Amino acid sequence: MTSEPILSIRGLNVDYGTGQDAVHALRDIDLTLHRGEVLGLAGESGSGKSTLAYAVTRLLSPPGVITGGEVRYHRVTDPDPVDILALSARELRAFRWQELSIVFQGAMNSLNPVHTVHSQLTDVLKAHRPETKRAERTARATELLALVGISADRLGAYPHQLSGGMRQRVMIAMALALDPEIVIMDEPTTALDVVMQRQILRQLVKLKAELSFSVIFITHDISLLIEFSDRIAIMYGGRIVEEAASAEIYRDAHHPYSDGLLHSFPALHGPRRELSGIPGSPPHLAAMPAGCAFHPRCGKAFEPCGTQVPVLAAPPGDGSRTVACWLHQDAAVGAAAGP
């Protein structure tokens, strides 16, 4: 990992619908992915994780609309970043999969059930590199399967003939087909058992070391991110509420929501951790509470939490992380971030 950014997101806002009835799904998202880094994105269902992934890749389905902000991709060979949100349809088609790819949640829904693995892997190559010959595409498909630990005799198989773990690895192979610089993984192991999750994560670590791509890994399971990520960003109610190195989040989570996520799973190593969970449910995005969105569920809430939105900023004396919480913010810094 380097300090050089490869993807920068600034002030990103996404609504579902328009006008007064619009639901604000993402609010003022600021995030940077560094070259060679694994950035984890954690939070409960409905926190905005997948919406962020689809916004960055321009895959938002109607009525999803990007209403503000910028997403810029930084190439090694070009001093001028690429404005992803300004790409034309033709430019976007060339950009996706060659520079940035995505592994969707639920491989069975992403793979075409009436086409073989060979057909679906080579289709990516045929679409983006039409000059390649059939034999070359087959050889590349065989190589891709070997990368993710699947034998070449499965090239002729259909998705329903593969196990859940193998289907997910095929999706990862497809995402790596054109050697992208960034791979976004949207809960790729959620439907798999714990043993298969660990196998796929080990495979990802190995592939990242070999191919040097950067990863945004999205999941609700923060325990996976602690093991796998360099940094973690915690999302709640469409905002990022804390961002820090994974080791710092594990040792000393500053935001009460981050701490609640950590105490929702047992410690695999070291002293036993008391499981407490988080009371209540995430807010409905169409009816967000005033002030800090987490304050109705927070046992540490006090006066400003119910009326003022804390900004995402470095706590006094600690520049290694950012947190949006009145417990770690000077009153002078905490100008409201907006409704």
Side-chain angles (χ1 to χ4, degrees):
M1 189 186 78
T2 70
S3 59
E4 181 185 354
I6 189 170
L7 185 73
S8 56
I9 303 168
R10 295 291 176 267
L12 186 63
N13 288 272
V14 171
D15 289 355
Y16 285 104
T18 58
Q20 293 184 342
D21 296 329
V23 174
H24 305 299
L26 292 183
R27 302 168 184 246
D28 301 316
I29 299 295
D30 287 343
L31 203 58
T32 300
L33 174 68
H34 299 98
R35 198 170 299 280
E37 178 182 47
V38 178
L39 174 62
L41 204 59
E44 293 169 290
S45 296
S47 60
K49 307 184 303 298
S50 293
T51 296
L52 177 56
Y54 294 142
V56 167
T57 53
R58 299 267 303 274
L59 288 171
L60 273 176
S61 298
V65 180
I66 297 173
T67 58
E70 61 182 38
V71 181
R72 298 188 181 275
Y73 168 68
H74 304 264
R75 290 193 178 103
V76 176
T77 56
D78 191 347
D80 297 322
V82 176
D83 185 352
I84 296 177
L85 302 186
L87 293 177
S88 67
R90 184 176 180 179
E91 291 170 332
L92 191 60
R93 178 175 173 79
F95 175 79
R96 286 201 201 113
W97 240 253
Q98 297 202 77
E99 309 273 11
L100 182 153
S101 64
I102 184 168
V103 178
F104 295 100
Q105 180 179 358
M108 197 64 196
N109 297 328
S110 301
L111 294 171
N112 193 318
V114 299
H115 289 281
T116 63
V117 170
H118 175 277
S119 174
Q120 297 186 63
L121 284 175
T122 56
D123 184 61
V124 177
L125 300 168
K126 187 176 180 180
H128 289 271
R129 295 177 183 171
E131 72 281 0
T132 57
K133 298 179 180 179
R134 179 178 173 82
E136 294 173 329
R137 294 195 293 268
T138 298
R140 177 57 174 163
T142 303
E143 180 185 349
L144 288 167
L145 286 190
L147 275 177
V148 296
I150 299 178
S151 62
D153 60 8
R154 305 304 262 173
L155 275 173
Y158 290 88
H160 72 272
Q161 296 174 314
L162 305 177
S163 68
M166 291 179 76
R167 287 195 295 264
Q168 200 63 60
R169 281 184 280 168
V170 168
M171 287 298 301
I172 293 170
M174 194 179 298
L176 298 176
L178 301 179
D179 299 314
E181 293 287 334
I182 302 171
V183 180
I184 297 177
M185 300 189 172
D186 184 16
E187 305 210 34
T189 62
T190 297
L192 305 177
D193 61 71
V194 175
V195 174
M196 185 54 63
Q197 285 182 4
R198 291 300 184 271
Q199 288 181 6
I200 289 180
L201 285 177
R202 283 196 293 269
Q203 195 79 44
L204 286 173
V205 171
K206 179 182 175 184
L207 290 171
K208 177 183 167 296
E210 291 177 2
L211 304 177
S212 301
F213 53 86
S214 306
V215 180
I216 296 178
F217 194 95
I218 299 170
T219 181
H220 64 275
D221 186 350
I222 195 172
S223 63
L224 288 179
L225 297 183
I226 295 294
E227 297 182 45
F228 180 57
S229 302
D230 298 301
R231 283 187 305 127
I232 297 175
I234 308 292
M235 291 193 69
Y236 187 81
R239 297 184 189 272
I240 293 175
V241 296
E242 185 166 8
E243 181 189 345
S246 57
E248 292 182 350
I249 291 278
Y250 182 71
R251 286 195 304 265
D252 183 25
H254 278 24
H255 200 284
Y257 179 63
S258 306
D259 187 65
L261 289 178
L262 284 169
H263 286 83
S264 297
F265 71 93
L268 300 180
H269 308 287
R272 294 181 61 183
R273 181 193 293 116
E274 181 181 351
L275 299 183
S276 56
I278 305 172
S281 300
H284 195 290
L285 293 177
M288 293 289 287
C292 173
F294 186 61
H295 88 265
R297 305 173 68 189
C298 181
K300 297 181 179 179
F302 63 114
E303 182 186 354
C305 301
T307 56
Q308 301 178 58
V309 180
V311 296
L312 186 68
D318 184 359
S320 64
R321 70 169 79 214
T322 54
V323 59
C325 180
W326 287 109
L327 292 169
H328 304 281
Q329 202 160 87
D330 286 337
V333 175

